[in-house]
Amino acid sequence: MSVTADPAAHPLSESELRSLDAHWRAANYLAAGQIHLLANPLLREPLRPEHIKPRLLGHWGTSPGLNLVHTHLDRVVRCRDLDTICVWGPGHGGPAVLANSWLDGSYTDTYPTVTRDAEGMARLFRQFSFPGGVPSHVAPETPGSLHEGGELGYALSHAYGAALDNPGLLVACVIGDGEAETGPLAASWHGNKFLDPVHDGAVLPILHLNGWKIANPAVLARLPEAELDALLRGFGHQPLYVAGDDPAAVHRALAAALDTALDRIAAIQHAARAEGSTRRPHWPLIVLRTPKGWTGPAEVGGLPVEGTWRSHQIPLDRVREDPEQLAALETWLRSYRPEELFDEDGRPTDLVLGCVPAGDRRLGANPHANGGLLLRDLPLPPYRRHTVAVDKPGATLHEPTRVLGALLADVMAATADRRDFRLVGPDETASNRLQDVYTATGKAWQAATLPVDEHLAADGRVMEILSEHTCQGWLEGYLLTGRHGLFSCYEAFVHIVDSMVNQHIKWLRTSRALPWRAPIASLNYLLTSHVWRQDHNGFSHQDPGFVDHVLNKSPEAVRVYLPPDTNTLLAVADHVLRSRDLVNVVVAGKQPCFDWLDAEQARLHCARGAGIWDWAGTEHGRREPDAVLACAGDVPTQEVLAAADLIRRHLPGLALRVVNVVDLARLMPAEEHPHGMPDAEFDALFTRDRPVVFAYHGYPWLIHRLAYRRAVHPQLHVRGYKESGSTTTPFDMVVRNDLDRYRLVMDVIDRVPGLAARAADVRQDMADRRARHHDWIRAHGTDLPEVADWQWTG
């Protein structure tokens, strides 16, 4: 059933074999040296305790396998002149990728002080997992990387994202057997059903089964080969198998497997591009079985190490204190015969470099792994082409995301030839009212189709799969290789990618400090079908907390926008799609929403991020208001304006200010966030000492956290979502959470000094209306007519 690569079909010459083995030994030596050595990098003198790092950090177990793959990728890239990057799923094997980039010279190109000689080798060793140095994982600091790999599960989705719309690119992806057990990785196998062999590049998964995780066997490594083969074929792949622990035999088998796989990829692409084949291809995949910690210590202290979980991190962990371990380390390092691999000056010999490609073909220098170098500005049409007419506030309604969908259709049309914009989402594009994009492109799909299907297209640039992890991974890989995109998702379920966005934000923050990393297009989220209009789906679909999660992260890299209507959503979308090196979260409803601002007002308001809506208040030129009604989010804005309307009619002498916030980070101090307001500006907007009733889209305590240092904070009262939801009417959702207009009026009455006694009748009326609402919806199943038919009359 299984297919083992036949070395006889693609034989290596003896010189190639010697060069590959020398390169692999050199990479293994450098990997082990980084983990252990503080000095004496070439063992020009006997190893002493002071040559050893005081803290041994790093992962040895996966490094020999990664070195093997890197060595063999170098060979095929050089021989076939391939444009190739590699996603290293076992990213904790940082020593291997660093070693190989030093060998091919791309590390020295990036960091000129780490020269490709003995002195540079010493620096390479010393800096690894050392204060002021570089991380132990494959990280932004690593040339040729676009995947951190510390948190496992995302390598294959990143690889597919990198290959999309990159027809000349080969993306190799090493998947560790521990990573292969994760849910995100399991879903990402389906990426091959979305890969268009005409317009996209190729992904070559390399499943590396070294048998063990940190302390347990790996599931796929223990499956009978027939069962594993059936699984991988069921995912739509043609597996090729390489296994062994004899270096020469493994070199020959892996070289043959790579050549066979690349021949198959070339045939698939030729059939699709030149012959017009529309059959879904079954792409090759390599299963590589080699021992964990291969070529390291066979045993330590009488216990087996090589080929077991004990080699995962540091096989010899007491080298400074234990003379036997020190001797074992020296024996281990000398087993690679460094005197054959590096010349007198410590430079790699010609034999070591015989398989290494040159220039941008080096894996450490390929510009696709530094995607900002390839990034072009998105040809955005003027968003005012889609703005809606607003003669007066609140007179008309539109579905904001439906209007945005027309703008995105224009973006898709403008990028039809250059193919560098994608829309991803978990089966929700039409549900989120973005279906106008289908006038410009279809949904990517390579599997079978039926007559009832709509908008499926082999070359489509809308990506839908019911796995938020996969959507996120695709888009990250796409952005990191120099393209643009948008992730549309139900608000409650974007939490599924909480940890993924954490990793991306960390990547961006680190990359910003590296002058050689060019800025990439921002990761843009559109969160819709939000908490306040999940009255039909109920409690399970109500969670606005992603905003809280994101605003906990690096301030320089995160932004959150809550546009209150259609025109502000268009202005925000135009802004975020032009931005770089950010994670932008835009929360906007898809249900009919009142139009408050015309195109120019929306532009100015979004540029400010927060502002006074003087047309909604009743200050009438007074020096300071009696109270401030503030809002952030579309439904809270409607409730605040309805409350202002009630106050205007029932409390005409009250000086009320209405403030709307679009950019949530504006509430933060200027010292804490690039968009934060200085105290003077904040005080001018919200006052220093007047009651502020703030209606917020999400969890109310976030607003308190953002504004806790402000002078007005003791007077700040926030209403928002407090985990009270059900299948109910739209207005009942806000009543359940005390965000409704009647409660807001009551809050103002309760908090303006002296007003409670004078307005007791108004407060009682508001409470009575809430009671009538409760009875009405249970009798009629709809909201009160005074709510359902309300319009702004100010």
Side-chain angles (χ1 to χ4, degrees):
M1 178 180 293
S2 65
V3 178
T4 300
D6 179 10
H10 295 279
L12 281 177
S13 68
E14 286 303 313
S15 62
E16 283 180 313
L17 178 59
R18 286 196 303 273
S19 180
L20 287 170
D21 190 63
H23 187 278
W24 180 54
R25 285 188 286 123
N28 286 339
Y29 179 84
L30 294 170
Q34 288 174 80
I35 294 172
H36 295 93
L37 296 185
L38 192 61
N40 190 19
L42 287 165
L43 303 182
R44 296 282 168 79
E45 55 183 297
L47 207 54
R48 299 194 302 271
E50 58 266 29
H51 297 150
I52 308 301
K53 292 182 176 182
R55 299 174 68 234
L56 300 182
L57 304 170
H59 294 76
W60 166 250
T62 191
S63 292
L66 298 186
N67 285 330
L68 183 73
V69 171
H70 202 299
T71 295
H72 280 261
L73 287 175
D74 278 352
R75 182 189 74 87
V76 294
V77 167
R78 177 168 176 151
C79 292
R80 296 174 180 245
D81 190 30
L82 297 176
D83 194 7
T84 306
I85 62 173
C86 188
V87 175
W88 305 99
H92 51 281
V97 185
L98 291 167
N100 282 278
S101 64
W102 186 85
L103 285 173
D104 70 22
S106 57
Y107 200 89
T108 302
D109 292 347
T110 307
Y111 303 104
T113 60
V114 186
T115 48
R116 201 160 45 154
D117 54 21
E119 184 179 351
M121 188 189 299
R123 287 190 175 133
L124 179 76
F125 287 4
R126 182 183 182 88
Q127 70 180 14
F128 178 78
S129 281
F130 202 79
V134 298
S136 65
H137 286 194
V138 179
E141 294 93 337
T142 310
S145 65
L146 55 77
H147 172 91
E148 205 274 348
E151 181 176 342
L152 300 177
Y154 315 129
L156 192 54
S157 58
H158 283 163
Y160 277 108
L164 296 172
D165 296 322
N166 260 331
L169 187 67
L170 170 69
V171 186
C173 180
V174 182
I175 302 159
D177 44 11
E179 177 165 35
E181 297 176 6
T182 65
L185 197 286
S188 63
W189 287 115
H190 294 300
N192 57 13
K193 288 83 171 175
F194 298 85
L195 197 72
D196 177 13
V198 176
H199 296 96
D200 301 333
V203 174
L204 177 60
I206 301 171
L207 179 59
H208 185 213
L209 302 180
N210 61 29
W212 304 88
K213 303 187 289 290
I214 292 176
N216 284 288
V219 172
L220 293 191
R222 294 292 177 92
L223 292 183
E225 189 168 296
E227 188 177 342
L228 176 63
D229 192 78
L231 176 69
L232 297 174
R233 290 182 184 277
F235 280 132
H237 282 287
Q238 289 184 327
L240 294 160
Y241 292 86
V242 176
D245 59 5
D246 174 69
V250 172
H251 282 310
R252 290 191 176 93
L254 182 54
L258 276 170
D259 282 330
T260 301
L262 294 173
D263 288 348
R264 289 181 183 176
I265 288 171
I268 289 168
Q269 292 177 334
H270 179 81
R273 298 173 185 180
E275 299 172 1
S277 173
T278 58
R279 294 181 60 187
R280 176 167 73 89
H282 285 208
W283 297 87
L285 169 149
I286 294 174
V287 179
L288 175 63
R289 291 182 187 266
T290 59
K292 194 176 186 78
W294 194 16
T295 73
E299 65 174 48
V300 177
L303 296 173
V305 174
E306 183 186 23
T308 77
W309 54 270
R310 293 187 181 91
S311 67
H312 182 80
Q313 290 179 303
I314 310 296
L316 300 168
D317 59 356
R318 299 183 64 252
V319 183
R320 275 198 162 204
E321 302 83 24
D322 186 337
E324 288 188 9
Q325 286 204 7
L326 182 65
L329 175 61
E330 183 163 4
T331 299
W332 171 15
L333 293 174
R334 292 192 185 279
S335 72
Y336 298 117
R337 306 191 299 281
E339 66 279 1
E340 299 176 5
L341 309 174
F342 308 100
D343 65 18
E344 284 299 314
D345 296 322
R347 302 179 188 278
T349 64
D350 291 343
L351 181 66
V352 168
L353 301 181
C355 61
V356 173
D360 287 353
R361 288 297 194 245
R362 295 171 296 171
L363 296 183
N366 192 298
H368 289 94
N370 188 3
L373 297 174
L374 306 175
L375 184 66
R376 295 176 288 176
D377 289 341
L378 197 61
L380 285 169
Y383 74 90
R384 289 200 179 195
R385 185 184 300 169
H386 297 280
T387 53
V388 300
V390 180
D391 296 327
K392 60 180 181 179
T396 56
L397 298 99
H398 285 87
E399 296 170 323
T401 57
R402 186 182 296 274
V403 179
L404 176 64
L407 171 68
L408 296 177
D410 280 358
V411 178
M412 285 291 188
T415 55
D417 293 330
R418 47 189 272 173
R419 294 184 66 92
D420 60 352
F421 180 80
R422 293 252 175 173
L423 175 65
V424 304
D427 192 35
E428 294 160 3
T429 304
S431 174
N432 289 337
R433 308 289 196 268
L434 301 175
Q435 62 266 36
D436 278 2
V437 295
Y438 299 140
T439 63
T441 187
K443 292 182 281 190
W445 188 254
Q446 297 292 320
T449 59
L450 299 174
V452 295
D453 291 329
E454 292 184 338
H455 309 304
L456 301 182
D459 62 350
R461 287 182 289 135
V462 176
M463 309 285 290
E464 288 191 348
I465 186 172
L466 201 51
S467 163
E468 286 82 358
H469 288 120
T470 305
C471 291
Q472 174 88 12
W474 283 345
L475 184 55
E476 286 180 0
Y478 198 68
L479 299 176
L480 287 161
T481 47
R483 280 74 64 74
H484 305 260
L486 177 70
F487 185 173
S488 166
C489 189
Y490 280 17
E491 181 185 50
F493 302 131
V494 74
H495 275 297
I496 292 169
V497 301
D498 276 0
S499 60
M500 291 188 75
V501 72
N502 290 353
Q503 299 299 322
H504 190 73
I505 292 169
K506 292 175 190 295
W507 182 279
L508 291 178
R509 181 179 181 182
T510 303
S511 296
R512 282 167 166 261
L514 300 171
W516 60 273
R517 283 275 180 192
I520 63 170
S522 297
L523 172 56
N524 301 311
Y525 292 97
L526 173 66
L527 306 186
T528 185
S529 297
H530 63 54
V531 59
W532 300 111
R533 291 308 307 267
Q534 284 298 333
D535 37 82
H536 59 303
N537 280 319
F539 199 26
S540 66
H541 282 52
Q542 296 163 7
D543 188 333
F546 189 70
V547 166
D548 304 56
H549 177 71
V550 167
L551 283 177
N552 278 329
K553 306 303 170 185
S554 305
E556 66 270 29
V558 297
R559 307 286 186 268
V560 173
Y561 301 98
L562 292 99
D565 69 354
T566 295
N567 286 339
T568 51
L569 173 59
L570 293 174
V572 166
D574 181 79
H575 170 71
V576 302
L577 289 172
R578 296 180 191 276
S579 67
R580 299 286 186 271
D581 272 354
L582 297 173
V583 169
N584 295 304
V585 180
V586 182
V587 185
K590 67 181 184 182
Q591 302 295 345
C593 171
F594 284 111
D595 304 314
W596 305 114
L597 303 180
D598 66 25
E600 180 60 12
Q601 291 169 333
R603 183 187 71 81
L604 292 172
H605 184 54
C606 291
R608 288 189 299 265
I612 299 170
W613 285 5
D614 52 2
W615 51 267
T618 58
E619 292 184 78
H620 307 305
R622 288 168 58 170
R623 184 167 176 269
E624 277 198 304
D626 295 317
V628 177
L629 265 180
C631 48
D634 49 9
V635 168
T637 296
Q638 177 172 314
E639 291 308 300
V640 158
L641 290 174
D645 194 25
L646 289 167
I647 289 172
R648 183 187 297 271
R649 288 187 280 119
H650 293 282
L651 300 167
L654 187 73
L656 181 72
R657 175 179 294 177
V658 174
V659 174
N660 182 267
V661 178
V662 178
D663 180 350
L664 210 56
R666 295 286 284 148
L667 299 177
M668 299 174 70
E671 306 81 40
E672 299 295 331
H673 195 282
H675 285 197
M677 284 190 217
D679 284 339
E681 185 180 354
F682 189 95
D683 295 345
L685 199 60
F686 291 97
T687 79
R688 289 181 61 85
D689 56 3
R690 301 306 167 104
V692 178
V693 177
F694 200 124
Y696 170 55
H697 172 86
Y699 293 109
W701 32 91
L702 176 64
I703 302 301
H704 284 290
R705 181 167 68 81
L706 299 180
Y708 82 97
R709 289 167 53 182
R710 304 296 191 175
V712 79
H713 186 255
Q715 300 295 324
L716 177 63
H717 180 67
V718 187
R719 294 291 186 181
Y721 182 68
K722 50 186 187 182
E723 290 291 313
S724 181
S726 181
T727 301
T728 186
T729 69
F731 187 65
D732 192 50
M733 269 299 300
V734 292
V735 173
R736 281 172 170 265
N737 291 276
D738 290 323
L739 186 69
D740 61 282
R741 59 199 67 180
Y742 306 128
R743 172 60 72 185
L744 297 176
V745 173
M746 294 163 67
D747 285 337
V748 170
I749 292 171
D750 292 345
R751 283 164 176 78
V752 173
L755 186 58
R758 291 185 286 114
D761 57 335
V762 178
R763 192 187 194 288
Q764 181 172 296
D765 180 32
M766 298 298 112
D768 289 346
R769 295 191 195 204
R770 284 169 56 91
R772 284 201 301 275
H773 154 80
H774 180 273
D775 296 338
W776 178 273
I777 63 169
R778 281 154 182 79
H780 299 278
T782 59
D783 285 323
L784 284 165
E786 68 185 79
V787 171
D789 301 332
W790 178 83
Q791 278 192 298
W792 172 253
T793 59

